[in-house]
Amino acid sequence: MENTIVAISTAAGNGGIGIVRLSGPKSFEIINKIFIPKNKEKEIKGYSIKYGNIINPENNEIIDEVLVSYFVSPKSYTTENMCEINTHGGMTVERKILNICLKNGAELAEPGEFTKRAFLNGRIDLAQAESIIDLINSKSDKEAKESVKGLKGELSSKINEIENKITDVMVNIEVVVDYPEYDIEEITNNEALYKLQEIKKLLEELEKSFDRGKLIRDGIKTVIFGKPNAGKSSLLNAILNEDRAIVSDIEGTTRDSIEEYINIEGLSLKLIDTAGIRQTENKIEQIGVEKSKRFANEADLIIAIFDLSSDFSKEDQEIADIIKDKQAIIVLNKVDIKQDNNETEELLQKIEKPIIKVSALKKEGLNELYQKIVELFSLNNFCNGNDVVITNERHKNQIRKAKENIEKAMDSVKNNMPIDISSIPIKQALEDLGEITGKNASEDIINEIFKKFCLGK
Ligand code: GDP
């Protein structure tokens, strides 16, 4: 890029240190004007740090005592010459230094412009840039790990692998188009169909991994489900260790659902507390009951809570029926009042779900519950740690489009359409995938993506 950009890269507010970052051809020229290093050595070495003062060159006023890191092109975040000024922190000083840089030839960076330069200069592709945003915004350890995999380019190389396979099919087809005098169409059709089938399978696998990716990114949607007074709100409170939900012994007071995120050993759980499930005349509550049934259907995990101190009721049976075919953990609550309830336990054992006894009130048994959750999701969903997992909605949509185009091509080959017609959706599939890594993403898409970054990144 022609111009040199500057931004405050640390979060707004007072911190231990603050970083003002410069990138572009004039970075070193600007720093030479505004920075007086203690060690006057002229040579600028990459990956080196100098200690000294930032001054206002207009009046030689010392602004702050700083460390300046030097990155010499192409070995920098953006691949351009870069400097990072580590100040003592504090918005006033950071703003002052920013303004001095602006007065001495730098331009204010747009959000995400440093990363955009890394992309435009070819150091990272679009999918890697998006992984950087995901890493910054990640809510759990697992999500951060997936983002780092994306950042390292694992998704990109998977996409490249599929693109190569598609190109391979295209080459086969072009042979037929270019040398129609040879009677090789029949063989090529079968071969193309076989290869397209293989490509479709790879795309499908990637598309499916999004569901797993969603659990990592959005958290495991967990519904606490149970009849009124079973202790749903108390359990939620015990888990959250604070009084965010309404706890009351008047039946049906938890009318709206409440959402909270928690982290268990690197898994992110999105907890939803719902209104008690029961037949009711009350209009507002009816909505709550319907809603909780719907939540149960959409949940990744149901924590079904039963009251050991009360008899097994029709509502309990209804809940047992609902969770039968779902990923669920049965929680028998109020062990502090009653430790066993043979009838309830026998009836619930029939649906073959893990059973944990707790006291939500006394906060007992919660560790066993957490362990069970970790066990369920480590075994079922996260065991293929080395697989590429799609966590980004845009990537999933591009993969789906590519898959649909491959299907179109397969139909067209099956229907013995002229082979150059079949090649149209194949080419389109290549373009769909190219939009993931940014090979042929439109400027609008690129701008849209980088807008999501924060200033100074
Ligand atoms: P919800 O309607 O399912 O949300 O139930 P709540 O969490 O509001 O609890 C209903 C009543 O049961 C409240 O009076 C709670 O204090 C009480 N409760 C909840 N869990 C326990 C428990 O483990 N032991 C005892 N003794 N009481 C509990």
Side-chain angles (χ1 to χ4, degrees):
M1 307 298 125
E2 302 277 296
N3 59 343
T4 298
I5 50 171
V6 65
I8 299 171
S9 283
T10 35
N14 294 341
I17 58 166
I19 297 178
V20 178
R21 183 141 87 147
L22 283 158
S23 179
K26 283 201 283 183
S27 297
F28 299 154
E29 187 187 316
I30 295 167
I31 208 79
N32 281 342
K33 283 195 232 169
I34 67 169
F35 175 57
I36 314 279
K38 275 273 175 323
N39 177 348
K40 296 273 186 324
E41 188 190 322
K42 279 265 155 38
E43 193 197 352
I44 293 171
K45 294 194 201 107
Y47 301 130
S48 67
I49 297 178
K50 285 188 182 185
Y51 164 71
N53 288 323
I54 292 286
I55 54 147
N56 182 351
E58 281 173 16
N59 53 15
N60 286 334
E61 178 200 357
I62 294 177
I63 308 299
D64 193 11
E65 183 189 41
V66 300
L67 291 175
V68 175
S69 318
Y70 293 84
F71 304 88
V72 177
S73 173
K75 293 186 172 175
S76 76
Y77 187 72
T78 58
T79 78
E80 302 169 338
N81 279 344
M82 283 185 79
C83 287
E84 286 181 6
I85 307 167
N86 286 27
T87 79
H88 276 130
M91 283 314 281
T92 316
V93 170
E94 289 164 16
R95 287 238 174 86
K96 263 186 159 172
I97 297 176
L98 179 78
N99 281 325
I100 291 172
C101 290
L102 291 172
K103 273 200 180 147
N104 284 279
E107 288 170 30
L108 193 61
E110 285 168 19
E113 198 175 352
F114 291 91
T115 311
K116 190 176 181 182
R117 287 186 172 203
F119 164 67
L120 293 175
N121 294 332
R123 190 179 70 78
I124 55 172
D125 64 35
L126 206 52
Q128 285 174 302
E130 286 171 299
S131 300
I132 295 174
I133 315 181
D134 292 342
L135 182 61
I136 293 171
N137 294 332
S138 59
K139 294 181 291 296
S140 72
D141 196 31
K142 289 272 182 219
E143 191 184 0
K145 276 193 184 138
E146 283 309 321
S147 309
V148 169
K149 276 161 83 179
L151 176 57
K152 277 164 58 194
E154 289 187 19
L155 170 64
S156 309
S157 46
K158 186 83 189 172
I159 297 291
N160 284 338
E161 187 188 313
I162 299 175
E163 281 173 335
N164 287 342
K165 284 189 196 289
I166 299 177
T167 311
D168 200 35
V169 178
M170 286 293 298
V171 170
N172 274 358
I173 286 171
E174 267 153 25
V175 170
V176 178
V177 176
D178 292 345
Y179 304 99
E181 64 273 24
Y182 296 111
D183 190 19
I184 51 173
E185 185 144 353
E186 190 66 26
I187 305 161
T188 313
N189 265 2
N190 284 339
E191 218 175 278
L193 211 52
Y194 175 78
K195 287 186 171 159
L196 288 171
Q197 177 62 38
E198 198 183 23
I199 292 163
K200 185 184 152 190
K201 217 178 120 213
L202 287 173
L203 289 169
E204 257 168 7
E205 274 167 20
L206 267 187
E207 193 188 4
K208 271 195 209 138
S209 79
F210 183 75
D211 290 338
R212 204 148 34 104
K214 217 167 131 62
L215 287 185
I216 296 172
R217 199 196 48 202
D218 297 343
I220 299 160
K221 211 184 213 185
T222 307
V223 174
I224 301 181
F225 211 36
K227 70 179 172 190
N229 272 336
K232 294 177 296 298
S233 310
S234 306
L235 182 69
L236 185 76
N237 287 337
I239 292 174
L240 297 173
N241 228 348
E242 56 182 357
D243 292 331
R244 289 288 282 278
I246 312 158
V247 186
S248 156
D249 48 14
I250 308 161
E251 288 196 354
T253 43
T254 321
R255 278 173 189 156
D256 266 317
S257 62
I258 299 165
E259 286 180 14
E260 295 283 356
Y261 283 93
I262 59 158
N263 260 290
I264 301 175
E265 292 186 20
L267 293 175
S268 173
L269 243 67
K270 182 180 177 183
L271 277 170
I272 301 157
D273 178 24
T274 60
I277 169 166
R278 61 167 192 169
Q279 300 299 321
T280 171
E281 295 299 310
N282 184 317
K283 276 271 182 275
I284 304 167
E285 272 182 30
Q286 269 174 5
I287 298 165
V289 171
E290 281 312 309
K291 220 168 146 186
S292 57
K293 279 190 183 167
R294 206 184 65 226
F295 275 127
N297 273 330
E298 291 168 2
D300 304 312
L301 170 68
I302 299 173
I303 295 179
I305 181 162
F306 298 87
D307 183 348
L308 274 176
S309 72
S310 76
D311 291 337
F312 197 81
S313 65
K314 223 177 85 211
E315 293 147 311
D316 285 325
Q317 187 56 52
E318 207 180 322
I319 291 161
D321 290 340
I322 290 174
I323 65 169
K324 213 160 40 198
D325 306 316
K326 302 245 156 28
Q327 180 95 284
I329 298 176
I330 292 171
V331 166
L332 303 177
N333 189 31
K334 310 195 186 179
V335 275
D336 56 303
I337 306 179
K338 197 162 188 284
Q339 291 192 338
D340 305 293
N341 182 326
N342 290 342
E343 192 205 356
T344 302
E345 289 179 52
E346 270 166 31
L347 285 166
L348 288 175
Q349 266 154 10
K350 284 193 194 135
I351 57 173
E352 296 178 341
K353 301 285 171 196
I355 298 179
I356 311 276
K357 286 188 180 179
V358 309
S359 164
L361 195 71
K362 300 255 157 70
K363 299 195 168 92
E364 283 167 15
L366 296 181
N367 276 335
E368 283 82 351
L369 176 61
Y370 299 152
Q371 282 315 315
K372 195 45 83 184
I373 293 172
V374 169
E375 213 176 281
L376 278 181
F377 283 87
S378 305
L379 286 180
N380 293 349
N381 298 299
F382 299 110
C383 56
N384 300 324
N386 295 324
D387 282 4
V388 172
V389 176
I390 303 289
T391 51
N392 185 303
E393 188 112 28
R394 187 184 81 83
H395 299 167
K396 188 199 81 167
N397 287 336
Q398 291 307 115
I399 287 164
R400 182 183 43 79
K401 279 188 206 163
K403 187 195 73 182
E404 284 167 4
N405 275 313
I406 295 294
E407 281 167 348
K408 262 190 215 157
M410 286 171 73
D411 283 346
S412 142
V413 172
K414 275 184 206 154
N415 293 328
N416 285 322
M417 300 290 277
I419 200 102
D420 46 340
I421 296 217
S422 309
S423 76
I424 297 172
I426 301 181
K427 271 193 197 133
Q428 187 55 49
L430 263 183
E431 282 183 21
D432 295 334
L433 294 183
E435 275 191 38
I436 295 179
T437 49
K439 261 179 247 164
N440 49 7
S442 73
E443 205 170 316
D444 285 350
I445 292 176
I446 293 170
N447 287 338
E448 219 30 65
I449 288 169
F450 286 100
K451 254 196 246 156
K452 290 185 204 148
F453 275 83
C454 34
L455 208 66
K457 188 66 207 174

